[in-house]
Coordinates of all heavy atoms in Angstrom, one line a residue:
M1 N 105.4 171.4 133.9 CA 105.4 170.3 134.8 C 104.4 169.2 134.3 O 103.3 169.6 134.0 CB 105.1 170.7 136.2 CG 104.9 169.6 137.2 SD 106.4 169.0 137.9 CE 107.1 170.3 138.9
H2 N 104.8 168.0 134.2 CA 104.0 166.9 133.8 C 103.4 166.2 135.0 O 104.2 165.7 135.9 CB 104.7 165.9 132.9 CG 105.1 166.5 131.6 ND1 104.2 166.5 130.5 CD2 106.2 167.2 131.2 CE1 104.8 167.1 129.5 NE2 106.0 167.5 129.9
Y3 N 102.1 166.1 135.1 CA 101.4 165.3 136.1 C 100.7 164.1 135.3 O 100.6 164.2 134.1 CB 100.4 166.1 136.8 CG 101.0 167.2 137.7 CD1 101.2 168.5 137.1 CD2 101.3 167.0 139.0 CE1 101.8 169.5 137.9 CE2 101.8 168.0 139.8 CZ 102.1 169.3 139.2 OH 102.6 170.3 140.0
N4 N 100.3 163.1 136.0 CA 99.6 162.0 135.4 C 98.4 162.4 134.6 O 98.0 161.8 133.6 CB 99.2 161.0 136.4 CG 100.4 160.2 137.0 OD1 101.4 160.1 136.3 ND2 100.3 159.7 138.2
F5 N 97.7 163.5 135.1 CA 96.4 163.9 134.5 C 96.4 165.2 133.8 O 95.4 165.6 133.2 CB 95.3 163.9 135.6 CG 95.2 162.6 136.3 CD1 95.9 162.3 137.5 CD2 94.4 161.6 135.8 CE1 95.8 161.1 138.2 CE2 94.3 160.4 136.5 CZ 95.0 160.1 137.6
C6 N 97.5 165.9 133.9 CA 97.6 167.3 133.5 C 99.0 167.7 133.2 O 99.9 167.3 133.8 CB 97.0 168.2 134.6 SG 96.8 169.9 134.1
K7 N 99.2 168.7 132.3 CA 100.5 169.3 132.0 C 100.3 170.8 132.2 O 99.4 171.4 131.6 CB 101.0 169.0 130.6 CG 102.3 169.6 130.2 CD 102.6 169.3 128.8 CE 103.8 170.2 128.4 NZ 104.1 170.1 126.9
I8 N 101.2 171.4 133.0 CA 101.2 172.8 133.2 C 102.5 173.4 132.7 O 103.5 172.9 133.0 CB 101.0 173.1 134.8 CG1 99.8 172.5 135.4 CG2 101.1 174.6 135.0 CD1 98.5 173.3 135.0
S9 N 102.3 174.5 131.9 CA 103.6 175.1 131.4 C 103.3 176.6 131.3 O 102.2 177.1 131.3 CB 103.9 174.5 130.1 OG 102.9 174.5 129.2
Y10 N 104.5 177.3 131.2 CA 104.5 178.8 131.0 C 104.8 179.1 129.6 O 105.8 178.6 129.1 CB 105.4 179.5 132.0 CG 105.5 180.9 131.8 CD1 104.4 181.8 131.9 CD2 106.7 181.5 131.3 CE1 104.5 183.1 131.7 CE2 106.8 182.9 131.1 CZ 105.7 183.7 131.3 OH 105.8 185.0 131.0
L11 N 104.0 179.8 128.9 CA 104.2 180.2 127.5 C 104.8 181.7 127.6 O 104.0 182.6 127.6 CB 103.0 180.1 126.7 CG 102.2 178.8 126.7 CD1 100.9 178.9 126.0 CD2 103.1 177.7 126.2
S12 N 106.1 181.8 127.5 CA 106.6 183.2 127.7 C 106.2 184.1 126.6 O 106.0 185.3 126.9 CB 108.2 183.1 127.8 OG 108.7 182.5 126.6
D13 N 106.1 183.7 125.4 CA 105.7 184.6 124.3 C 104.3 185.1 124.4 O 103.9 186.1 123.8 CB 105.9 183.9 122.9 CG 105.0 182.6 122.8 OD1 104.8 181.9 123.8 OD2 104.6 182.4 121.6
K14 N 103.5 184.4 125.2 CA 102.1 184.9 125.4 C 101.8 185.3 126.9 O 100.7 185.8 127.2 CB 101.1 183.7 125.1 CG 101.2 183.2 123.7 CD 100.1 182.3 123.3 CE 100.1 181.8 121.9 NZ 101.0 182.4 120.9
K15 N 102.8 185.3 127.7 CA 102.7 185.6 129.1 C 101.5 184.8 129.7 O 100.6 185.4 130.4 CB 102.5 187.1 129.4 CG 103.8 187.9 129.2 CD 103.7 189.3 129.8 CE 103.8 189.1 131.3 NZ 104.1 190.3 132.0
A16 N 101.5 183.5 129.4 CA 100.3 182.7 129.8 C 100.7 181.4 130.4 O 101.8 180.9 130.1 CB 99.5 182.4 128.5
I17 N 99.8 180.9 131.3 CA 99.9 179.6 131.9 C 99.0 178.7 131.0 O 97.9 179.0 130.8 CB 99.5 179.6 133.3 CG1 100.2 180.6 134.2 CG2 99.6 178.2 133.9 CD1 101.7 180.5 134.1
L18 N 99.6 177.6 130.6 CA 98.8 176.6 129.8 C 98.6 175.4 130.7 O 99.5 174.7 131.1 CB 99.5 176.2 128.5 CG 98.8 175.1 127.7 CD1 97.4 175.6 127.2 CD2 99.7 174.8 126.5
C19 N 97.3 175.0 130.9 CA 96.9 173.9 131.6 C 96.2 172.9 130.7 O 95.1 173.2 130.2 CB 95.9 174.3 132.7 SG 95.2 173.0 133.6
E20 N 96.9 171.8 130.4 CA 96.4 170.8 129.4 C 95.9 169.5 130.2 O 96.7 168.8 130.6 CB 97.4 170.4 128.4 CG 97.9 171.6 127.6 CD 99.1 171.2 126.7 OE1 100.3 171.3 127.3 OE2 98.9 170.9 125.6
W21 N 94.6 169.4 130.3 CA 94.0 168.2 131.0 C 94.1 167.0 130.0 O 93.8 167.0 128.9 CB 92.6 168.4 131.4 CG 92.6 169.4 132.5 CD1 92.2 170.7 132.5 CD2 92.9 169.2 133.9 NE1 92.3 171.3 133.7 CE2 92.8 170.4 134.6 CE3 93.4 168.1 134.6 CZ2 93.0 170.5 135.9 CZ3 93.6 168.2 135.9 CH2 93.5 169.4 136.6
K22 N 94.6 165.8 130.6 CA 94.7 164.6 129.9 C 93.5 163.7 130.1 O 93.1 163.0 129.2 CB 96.0 163.8 130.3 CG 97.2 164.6 130.1 CD 98.4 163.9 130.6 CE 99.7 164.7 130.6 NZ 100.8 164.0 131.2
K23 N 93.0 163.7 131.3 CA 91.8 162.8 131.6 C 91.3 163.2 133.0 O 91.9 164.0 133.7 CB 92.2 161.4 131.6 CG 93.3 161.0 132.5 CD 93.7 159.5 132.3 CE 95.0 159.2 133.1 NZ 95.3 157.8 132.9
F24 N 90.2 162.6 133.3 CA 89.5 162.9 134.6 C 90.4 162.6 135.8 O 91.1 161.6 135.8 CB 88.2 162.2 134.7 CG 87.5 162.3 136.1 CD1 86.9 163.5 136.4 CD2 87.6 161.3 137.0 CE1 86.3 163.6 137.7 CE2 87.0 161.4 138.3 CZ 86.4 162.6 138.6
C25 N 90.4 163.4 136.8 CA 91.0 163.1 138.1 C 90.3 163.9 139.1 O 89.4 164.7 138.9 CB 92.5 163.5 138.0 SG 92.8 165.3 137.7
K26 N 90.7 163.7 140.4 CA 90.0 164.4 141.5 C 90.9 164.5 142.7 O 92.0 163.9 142.7 CB 88.7 163.7 141.9 CG 88.8 162.3 142.4 CD 87.5 161.8 142.7 CE 87.6 160.4 143.3 NZ 86.3 159.8 143.7
G27 N 90.5 165.3 143.6 CA 91.3 165.5 144.9 C 92.7 166.1 144.6 O 92.8 167.0 143.8
K28 N 93.7 165.5 145.2 CA 95.1 166.0 145.1 C 95.5 166.0 143.6 O 96.2 166.9 143.2 CB 96.0 165.0 145.9 CG 97.4 165.4 145.9 CD 98.2 164.4 146.7 CE 99.7 164.7 146.6 NZ 100.5 163.7 147.3
D29 N 95.1 165.0 142.8 CA 95.5 164.9 141.4 C 95.0 166.1 140.6 O 95.6 166.5 139.7 CB 95.1 163.6 140.8 CG 95.8 162.4 141.4 OD1 97.0 162.5 141.7 OD2 95.3 161.3 141.5
Y30 N 93.8 166.6 141.0 CA 93.2 167.7 140.4 C 93.8 169.0 140.9 O 94.0 169.9 140.1 CB 91.7 167.7 140.7 CG 90.9 168.9 140.1 CD1 90.6 168.9 138.8 CD2 90.5 169.9 140.9 CE1 89.9 170.0 138.2 CE2 89.8 171.0 140.4 CZ 89.5 171.0 139.1 OH 88.8 172.1 138.6
R31 N 94.0 169.1 142.1 CA 94.4 170.4 142.7 C 95.9 170.7 142.6 O 96.2 171.9 142.4 CB 94.0 170.4 144.2 CG 92.5 170.3 144.4 CD 92.1 170.1 145.8 NE 90.7 169.8 145.9 CZ 90.0 169.8 147.0 NH1 90.5 170.1 148.1 NH2 88.7 169.4 147.0
E32 N 96.7 169.7 142.7 CA 98.2 170.0 142.6 C 98.6 170.7 141.3 O 99.4 171.6 141.4 CB 99.0 168.7 142.7 CG 99.5 168.4 144.1 CD 100.4 167.2 144.2 OE1 100.7 166.6 143.1 OE2 100.7 166.8 145.3
P33 N 98.2 170.3 140.1 CA 98.6 171.0 138.9 C 98.1 172.5 139.0 O 98.8 173.4 138.5 CB 97.9 170.2 137.8 CG 97.6 168.9 138.3 CD 97.4 169.1 139.8
L34 N 96.9 172.7 139.4 CA 96.4 174.0 139.5 C 97.1 174.9 140.5 O 97.4 176.1 140.2 CB 94.9 174.0 139.8 CG 94.0 173.4 138.8 CD1 92.5 173.3 139.2 CD2 94.1 174.0 137.4
E35 N 97.5 174.3 141.6 CA 98.3 175.0 142.6 C 99.7 175.4 142.0 O 100.2 176.5 142.2 CB 98.5 174.2 143.9 CG 97.2 174.2 144.6 CD 97.2 173.1 145.8 OE1 98.0 172.2 145.8 OE2 96.3 173.3 146.6
Y36 N 100.3 174.5 141.2 CA 101.6 174.7 140.6 C 101.4 175.9 139.5 O 102.2 176.8 139.4 CB 102.1 173.5 139.9 CG 103.4 173.7 139.1 CD1 104.6 174.0 139.8 CD2 103.4 173.7 137.8 CE1 105.7 174.2 139.2 CE2 104.6 174.0 137.1 CZ 105.8 174.2 137.8 OH 106.9 174.5 137.1
G37 N 100.3 175.8 138.8 CA 100.0 176.9 137.9 C 99.9 178.3 138.5 O 100.3 179.3 138.0
L38 N 99.3 178.3 139.7 CA 99.2 179.6 140.5 C 100.6 180.0 140.9 O 100.9 181.2 140.9 CB 98.3 179.4 141.8 CG 96.8 179.2 141.5 CD1 96.1 178.8 142.8 CD2 96.2 180.5 141.0
Q39 N 101.5 179.1 141.2 CA 102.9 179.5 141.5 C 103.5 180.1 140.3 O 104.3 181.1 140.4 CB 103.7 178.3 142.0 CG 103.3 177.8 143.3 CD 104.0 176.5 143.7 OE1 105.0 176.1 143.1 NE2 103.4 175.7 144.6
L40 N 103.3 179.5 139.1 CA 103.8 180.1 137.9 C 103.2 181.5 137.6 O 104.0 182.4 137.1 CB 103.6 179.2 136.7 CG 104.3 177.8 136.7 CD1 103.9 177.0 135.5 CD2 105.8 178.0 136.8
L41 N 101.9 181.6 137.8 CA 101.3 183.0 137.7 C 102.1 184.0 138.5 O 102.4 185.1 138.0 CB 99.9 183.0 138.1 CG 98.8 182.6 137.2 CD1 97.4 182.6 137.9 CD2 98.8 183.6 136.0
D42 N 102.4 183.7 139.7 CA 103.1 184.6 140.6 C 104.5 184.8 140.2 O 105.0 185.9 140.1 CB 103.0 184.0 142.1 CG 103.6 185.0 143.1 OD1 103.2 186.2 143.1 OD2 104.5 184.5 143.8
R43 N 105.2 183.8 139.8 CA 106.6 183.9 139.5 C 106.8 184.7 138.2 O 107.7 185.5 138.1 CB 107.2 182.5 139.2 CG 108.7 182.5 138.9 CD 109.3 181.1 138.6 NE 109.0 180.2 139.6 CZ 108.8 178.9 139.5 NH1 108.9 178.4 138.3 NH2 108.5 178.1 140.5
Y44 N 106.0 184.5 137.2 CA 106.2 185.1 135.9 C 105.2 186.3 135.7 O 105.3 187.0 134.6 CB 106.0 184.1 134.8 CG 107.1 183.1 134.8 CD1 106.8 181.8 135.1 CD2 108.4 183.3 134.4 CE1 107.7 180.8 135.2 CE2 109.4 182.4 134.5 CZ 109.0 181.1 134.8 OH 110.0 180.1 134.8
K45 N 104.4 186.6 136.6 CA 103.4 187.6 136.5 C 102.6 187.5 135.2 O 102.3 188.5 134.4 CB 104.0 189.0 136.5 CG 104.8 189.3 137.8 CD 104.0 189.1 139.0 CE 104.8 189.4 140.3 NZ 104.4 188.6 141.4
A46 N 102.2 186.3 134.9 CA 101.5 185.9 133.6 C 100.1 186.7 133.7 O 99.6 186.9 134.7 CB 101.3 184.4 133.5
T47 N 99.7 187.0 132.5 CA 98.4 187.8 132.4 C 97.2 186.9 131.9 O 96.1 187.4 131.9 CB 98.6 189.0 131.5 OG1 99.0 188.6 130.2 CG2 99.5 190.0 132.1
T48 N 97.6 185.7 131.4 CA 96.5 184.8 130.8 C 96.6 183.4 131.4 O 97.8 182.9 131.5 CB 96.6 184.8 129.3 OG1 96.5 186.2 128.8 CG2 95.5 184.0 128.7
W49 N 95.5 182.8 131.6 CA 95.5 181.4 132.0 C 94.7 180.7 130.9 O 93.5 181.0 130.6 CB 94.8 181.2 133.3 CG 94.7 179.8 133.8 CD1 93.9 178.8 133.3 CD2 95.5 179.1 134.8 NE1 94.1 177.6 133.9 CE2 95.1 177.8 134.8 CE3 96.5 179.6 135.6 CZ2 95.7 176.9 135.7 CZ3 97.1 178.7 136.5 CH2 96.7 177.4 136.6
I50 N 95.3 179.7 130.3 CA 94.6 178.9 129.2 C 94.4 177.5 129.7 O 95.4 176.8 130.1 CB 95.5 178.9 127.9 CG1 95.8 180.3 127.5 CG2 94.8 178.1 126.8 CD1 96.9 180.4 126.4
T51 N 93.2 177.0 129.6 CA 92.9 175.6 130.0 C 92.4 174.9 128.8 O 91.4 175.3 128.1 CB 91.8 175.6 131.1 OG1 92.3 176.2 132.3 CG2 91.4 174.1 131.4
D52 N 93.1 173.8 128.4 CA 92.8 173.0 127.3 C 92.0 171.8 127.8 O 92.6 170.9 128.5 CB 94.0 172.6 126.5 CG 93.8 171.7 125.3 OD1 92.6 171.3 125.1 OD2 94.7 171.5 124.5
T53 N 90.7 171.7 127.4 CA 89.9 170.6 127.9 C 89.5 169.8 126.7 O 88.5 169.1 126.7 CB 88.6 171.2 128.5 OG1 87.9 172.0 127.6 CG2 88.9 172.0 129.8
S54 N 90.3 169.8 125.6 CA 89.9 169.0 124.4 C 89.9 167.5 124.6 O 89.3 166.8 123.8 CB 90.8 169.4 123.2 OG 92.2 169.2 123.5
N55 N 90.6 167.0 125.7 CA 90.5 165.6 126.0 C 89.5 165.3 127.0 O 89.5 164.2 127.6 CB 91.9 165.2 126.5 CG 92.9 165.1 125.4 OD1 92.7 164.7 124.3 ND2 94.1 165.6 125.8
G56 N 88.6 166.2 127.2 CA 87.5 166.0 128.2 C 87.8 166.7 129.5 O 89.0 166.9 129.8
F57 N 86.8 167.1 130.2 CA 87.0 167.8 131.5 C 85.7 167.6 132.3 O 84.6 167.8 131.8 CB 87.2 169.2 131.2 CG 87.5 170.0 132.5 CD1 88.7 169.9 133.2 CD2 86.5 170.7 133.1 CE1 88.9 170.6 134.3 CE2 86.7 171.4 134.3 CZ 87.9 171.3 134.9
E58 N 85.9 167.2 133.5 CA 84.9 167.2 134.5 C 85.6 167.2 135.9 O 86.7 166.9 136.0 CB 84.0 165.9 134.3 CG 84.8 164.6 134.5 CD 83.9 163.4 134.3 OE1 83.1 163.1 135.2 OE2 84.1 162.7 133.2
N59 N 84.8 167.5 136.9 CA 85.4 167.4 138.2 C 84.2 167.1 139.2 O 83.1 167.3 138.9 CB 86.1 168.7 138.7 CG 85.3 170.0 138.5 OD1 84.2 170.0 138.1 ND2 86.0 171.1 138.8
D60 N 84.6 166.6 140.4 CA 83.6 166.2 141.3 C 83.2 167.4 142.2 O 83.8 168.5 142.1 CB 84.0 165.0 142.2 CG 85.1 165.3 143.2 OD1 85.5 166.5 143.3 OD2 85.6 164.4 143.8
E61 N 82.2 167.3 143.0 CA 81.6 168.4 143.8 C 82.6 169.0 144.7 O 82.7 170.3 144.8 CB 80.4 167.9 144.5 CG 79.6 169.0 145.2 CD 78.4 168.5 145.9 OE1 77.8 167.5 145.5 OE2 78.0 169.1 146.9
A62 N 83.4 168.2 145.4 CA 84.4 168.8 146.3 C 85.5 169.6 145.6 O 85.9 170.7 146.0 CB 85.1 167.7 147.1
D63 N 85.9 169.2 144.4 CA 86.8 169.9 143.6 C 86.2 171.2 143.0 O 86.9 172.2 142.9 CB 87.4 169.1 142.5 CG 88.4 168.0 143.1 OD1 89.0 168.2 144.1 OD2 88.4 166.9 142.4
S64 N 85.0 171.1 142.6 CA 84.3 172.3 142.2 C 84.2 173.4 143.3 O 84.5 174.6 143.0 CB 82.9 172.0 141.7 OG 82.9 171.2 140.6
K65 N 83.9 173.0 144.5 CA 83.9 173.9 145.6 C 85.3 174.5 145.8 O 85.4 175.7 146.0 CB 83.4 173.2 146.9 CG 83.2 174.0 148.1 CD 82.7 173.3 149.3 CE 82.6 174.3 150.4 NZ 82.3 173.7 151.7
W66 N 86.3 173.6 145.8 CA 87.7 174.1 146.0 C 88.1 175.1 144.9 O 88.7 176.1 145.1 CB 88.7 173.0 146.0 CG 90.1 173.4 146.1 CD1 90.8 173.6 147.2 CD2 91.0 173.6 144.9 NE1 92.1 174.0 146.8 CE2 92.2 174.0 145.5 CE3 90.8 173.5 143.6 CZ2 93.3 174.4 144.7 CZ3 91.9 173.9 142.8 CH2 93.1 174.3 143.3
L67 N 87.7 174.8 143.7 CA 88.0 175.7 142.5 C 87.4 177.1 142.7 O 88.1 178.0 142.5 CB 87.4 175.0 141.2 CG 87.8 175.7 139.9 CD1 89.2 175.4 139.6 CD2 86.8 175.3 138.8
I68 N 86.2 177.1 143.2 CA 85.5 178.4 143.4 C 86.1 179.1 144.6 O 86.4 180.3 144.5 CB 84.0 178.2 143.5 CG1 83.4 177.8 142.2 CG2 83.3 179.5 144.0 CD1 82.0 177.3 142.3
E69 N 86.2 178.4 145.7 CA 86.7 179.1 146.9 C 88.2 179.4 147.0 O 88.5 180.4 147.5 CB 86.3 178.2 148.1 CG 84.8 178.1 148.3 CD 84.4 177.2 149.5 OE1 85.3 176.5 150.1 OE2 83.2 177.0 149.7
E70 N 89.0 178.6 146.4 CA 90.4 178.8 146.5 C 91.1 179.2 145.2 O 91.7 180.3 145.2 CB 91.1 177.4 146.9 CG 90.6 176.9 148.3 CD 91.1 177.8 149.4 OE1 92.1 178.4 149.4 OE2 90.3 177.9 150.4
F71 N 90.9 178.4 144.1 CA 91.6 178.7 142.9 C 91.1 180.1 142.3 O 91.9 180.9 141.9 CB 91.4 177.6 141.9 CG 92.1 177.8 140.6 CD1 93.4 177.7 140.4 CD2 91.3 178.3 139.5 CE1 94.0 177.9 139.2 CE2 91.9 178.5 138.3 CZ 93.3 178.4 138.1
V72 N 89.8 180.2 142.1 CA 89.3 181.4 141.5 C 89.7 182.7 142.3 O 90.2 183.7 141.7 CB 87.8 181.4 141.3 CG1 87.2 182.7 140.9 CG2 87.4 180.3 140.3
S73 N 89.6 182.6 143.6 CA 89.9 183.8 144.4 C 91.4 184.2 144.3 O 91.8 185.3 144.2 CB 89.5 183.7 145.9 OG 90.2 182.6 146.5
Q74 N 92.3 183.1 144.3 CA 93.7 183.4 144.1 C 94.0 183.9 142.7 O 94.9 184.7 142.5 CB 94.5 182.1 144.4 CG 94.5 181.7 145.9 CD 95.3 180.5 146.1 OE1 96.4 180.4 145.8 NE2 94.6 179.5 146.8
T75 N 93.3 183.4 141.7 CA 93.5 183.9 140.4 C 93.1 185.3 140.2 O 93.8 186.1 139.6 CB 92.8 183.0 139.3 OG1 93.2 181.6 139.5 CG2 93.1 183.4 137.9
I76 N 92.0 185.7 140.8 CA 91.5 187.1 140.8 C 92.6 188.0 141.4 O 92.8 189.1 141.0 CB 90.2 187.2 141.5 CG1 89.1 186.6 140.6 CG2 89.8 188.7 141.8 CD1 87.7 186.4 141.2
D77 N 93.2 187.5 142.5 CA 94.2 188.4 143.2 C 95.6 188.3 142.6 O 96.5 189.0 143.1 CB 94.3 187.9 144.7 CG 93.0 188.2 145.5 OD1 92.3 189.1 145.1 OD2 92.8 187.5 146.5
S78 N 95.7 187.6 141.5 CA 97.0 187.5 140.8 C 97.1 188.5 139.7 O 96.3 189.4 139.5 CB 97.2 186.1 140.3 OG 96.4 185.9 139.1
S79 N 98.1 188.3 138.9 CA 98.4 189.2 137.7 C 97.5 188.8 136.5 O 97.4 189.4 135.5 CB 99.8 189.1 137.3 OG 100.2 187.7 137.0
C80 N 96.7 187.7 136.6 CA 95.9 187.1 135.5 C 94.8 188.1 135.2 O 94.0 188.5 136.1 CB 95.4 185.8 135.9 SG 94.5 184.9 134.6
K81 N 94.6 188.4 133.9 CA 93.5 189.3 133.5 C 92.6 188.5 132.5 O 91.5 189.0 132.3 CB 94.1 190.5 132.7 CG 95.1 191.3 133.5 CD 94.5 191.9 134.7 CE 95.5 192.8 135.4 NZ 95.4 192.6 136.8
N82 N 93.0 187.4 132.0 CA 92.2 186.6 131.0 C 92.2 185.2 131.3 O 93.3 184.6 131.7 CB 92.8 186.8 129.6 CG 92.9 188.3 129.2 OD1 92.0 189.0 129.1 ND2 94.2 188.7 129.0
I83 N 91.1 184.5 131.2 CA 91.0 183.1 131.3 C 90.4 182.5 130.1 O 89.3 183.0 129.6 CB 90.2 182.7 132.6 CG1 90.9 183.1 133.8 CG2 90.0 181.1 132.6 CD1 90.1 182.9 135.1
I84 N 91.0 181.6 129.4 CA 90.6 181.0 128.1 C 90.4 179.5 128.3 O 91.3 178.8 128.8 CB 91.6 181.3 127.0 CG1 91.8 182.9 126.9 CG2 91.2 180.7 125.7 CD1 93.0 183.3 126.0
F85 N 89.3 179.0 127.8 CA 89.0 177.6 127.8 C 89.0 177.1 126.3 O 88.3 177.7 125.5 CB 87.7 177.2 128.4 CG 87.7 177.2 129.9 CD1 87.5 178.4 130.6 CD2 88.0 176.0 130.6 CE1 87.5 178.3 132.0 CE2 88.1 176.0 132.0 CZ 87.8 177.2 132.7
L86 N 89.8 176.1 126.0 CA 89.8 175.4 124.7 C 89.1 174.1 124.9 O 89.4 173.3 125.8 CB 91.2 175.2 124.2 CG 92.1 176.5 124.2 CD1 93.6 176.1 123.9 CD2 91.6 177.5 123.3
S87 N 88.2 173.8 124.0 CA 87.5 172.5 124.1 C 87.5 171.8 122.7 O 87.8 172.3 121.7 CB 86.1 172.6 124.6 OG 85.4 173.5 123.8

């Protein structure tokens, strides 16, 4: 799925979700791609989450809080066993 700020895809040969950030965003623009990635984790029972931050990465305080409270806890409760950051 292509978003303005991020591309989320499932890599079947790696059983992985790939999150490729294009540029800074916040709020709904930040959270929607990650929520879609969580749906893909559930659908495909992916074991790895890969985040590509080679185009830069930052988030604001509210999104950092959401990431820790919502995204991380849902990822821990999913099939995901590995999280990889590319920079």
